[in-house]
């Protein structure tokens, strides 16, 4: 079953929000040339509009956190990693090593990094706040073009 999708313009491309009346499933960021004009013209279903409104407020600097019901239907380990990312203060960052240590998975940094990369709710669960030990993004799914300070 295909979930309803809504797209809208953001400062660095297009946000494609997928969800149902109960939960937001994913937020993908696309470059504008990858999005059909038909999809852009659709009015978001009422239940996706709070996500659009909160994303707009975030990009306008009026919001630092989100109040959305999201679907974290992945493994227990992934959910634990993603919830830990919510504890990173707005505007701050941690290394993958620091995040692994906070989770007490000191020897499994790559596994933690993989879980971070599989987060489908970018911005809402701030995976852009976790960096390599060299303070750079590595293996940022979808491309580094998406991470420009948001």
């Amino acid at each position: 079953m295909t979930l309803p999708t809504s797209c809208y313009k953001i400062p660095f491309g297009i946000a494609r929000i997928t969800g149902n009346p109960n939960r937001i499933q994913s937020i993908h960021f696309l470059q504008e040339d990858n999005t059909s004009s038909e999809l852009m013209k659709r009015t978001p279903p009422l239940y996706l509009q709070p996500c659009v409104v909160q994303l707009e407020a975030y990009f306008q600097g009026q919001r630092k956190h989100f109040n959305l019901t999201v679907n974290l239907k992945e493994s227990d380990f992934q959910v634990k990693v993603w919830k830990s990312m919510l504890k990173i203060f707005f505007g701050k960052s941690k290394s993958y090593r620091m995040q692994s240590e906070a989770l007490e998975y000191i020897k499994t940094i790559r596994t933690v990094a993989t879980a971070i990369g599989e987060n489908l709710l970018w911005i809402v669960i701030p995976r852009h706040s976790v960096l390599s030990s060299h303070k750079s993004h590595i293996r940022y799914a979808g491309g580094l073009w998406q991470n420009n300070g948001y």
Side-chain angles (χ1 to χ4, degrees):
M1 181 174 110
T2 303
L3 291 172
T5 298
S6 177
C7 289
Y8 91 99
K9 182 133 178 58
I10 57 174
F12 55 92
I14 304 293
R16 183 179 72 202
I17 305 162
T18 304
N20 62 39
N22 301 315
R23 296 182 169 18
I24 301 298
Q25 180 73 34
S26 66
I27 302 171
H28 292 279
F29 296 109
L30 312 168
Q31 291 177 316
E32 288 187 57
D33 56 343
N34 294 336
T35 308
S36 75
S37 59
E38 178 187 322
L39 192 55
M40 288 298 299
K41 291 178 186 175
R42 290 185 196 163
T43 302
L46 285 174
Y47 53 84
L48 293 181
Q49 287 180 3
C51 185
V52 171
V53 169
Q54 289 184 39
L55 283 169
E56 286 176 351
Y58 177 86
F59 288 117
Q60 292 171 3
Q62 300 168 352
R63 176 176 283 277
K64 295 180 181 179
H65 303 283
F66 294 85
N67 183 19
L68 300 167
T69 303
V70 297
N71 187 8
L72 298 177
K73 66 172 193 165
E74 302 302 328
S75 73
D76 291 342
F77 176 75
Q78 287 172 314
V79 171
K80 184 175 181 177
V81 170
W82 298 340
K83 284 183 176 181
S84 76
M85 292 164 55
L86 293 171
K87 296 176 183 174
I88 300 173
F89 293 110
F90 180 81
K92 301 294 180 187
S93 62
K94 285 187 172 184
S95 69
Y96 289 103
R97 177 180 298 281
M98 291 168 64
Q99 199 64 12
S100 297
E101 289 170 352
L103 288 162
E104 298 180 3
Y105 290 107
I106 298 166
K107 296 186 181 208
T108 59
I109 295 170
R110 288 185 185 193
T111 307
V112 170
T114 298
I116 290 168
E118 292 170 346
N119 166 20
L120 297 178
L121 295 160
W122 308 358
I123 303 293
V124 175
I125 299 176
R127 79 186 213 190
H128 57 281
S129 298
V130 184
L131 309 170
S132 74
S133 297
H134 305 292
K135 301 291 185 214
S136 63
H137 292 277
I138 56 173
R139 208 179 67 79
Y140 197 80
L144 287 173
W145 65 270
Q146 298 170 18
N147 182 50
N148 59 1
Y150 292 104

